[in-house]
Amino acid sequence: GTCLERTSDFVTVNVEICTGIDARTGASWNLQPNPSNGDFTLISSITNDRVVVDVLEMGGRLAHSEQLSVIQGQAYTMHLAGQLVPGVYLLRFSTTGTSTTRRMVVQ
């Protein structure tokens, strides 16, 4: 409860409270197994939407891209064993207006 004045220089901070944010921004993705051999299963909290799944190398090069029609809780298996060299990849999930990224390790 007590404020202490430590300096005579002040900074003004403006905070805006936004409304109307798309509820899908909190979509979560379950990725199993991780690490994997390149074959993995995705499960999403998104309900009935089209999703583009991009597999990116750490340098940003696109290694694989696939479009899925997802249903909440349904498992989708991607078979990329033998197509991805061992390393760390980023999985980018893009829907209308949202994008989520997860890290995946291929052994």
Side-chain angles (χ1 to χ4, degrees):
T2 304
C3 295
L4 299 175
E5 187 173 316
R6 306 288 278 174
T7 180
S8 61
D9 294 334
F10 296 96
V11 175
T12 302
V13 177
N14 295 319
V15 177
E16 291 185 33
I17 309 263
C18 300
T19 60
I21 296 174
D22 189 347
R24 293 183 301 166
T25 58
S28 65
W29 290 89
N30 186 351
L31 170 65
Q32 304 171 13
N34 191 13
S36 75
N37 64 352
D39 291 345
F40 55 93
T41 300
L42 303 170
I43 300 173
S44 173
S45 67
I46 294 176
T47 305
N48 301 329
D49 205 349
R50 290 194 176 271
V51 177
V52 175
V53 181
D54 293 326
V55 180
L56 304 162
E57 294 178 353
M58 289 307 290
R61 187 178 79 81
L62 183 65
H64 180 80
S65 184
E66 194 168 321
Q67 186 175 25
L68 303 173
S69 292
V70 297
I71 298 171
Q72 184 177 17
Q74 185 172 344
Y76 299 89
T77 301
M78 297 185 79
H79 300 283
L80 300 177
Q83 297 178 39
L84 302 175
V85 297
V88 178
Y89 293 84
L90 293 178
L91 292 166
R92 181 175 55 206
F93 305 95
S94 304
T95 61
T96 306
T98 65
S99 181
T100 303
T101 305
R102 295 282 180 264
R103 187 179 65 110
M104 176 181 72
V105 176
V106 175
Q107 295 179 328

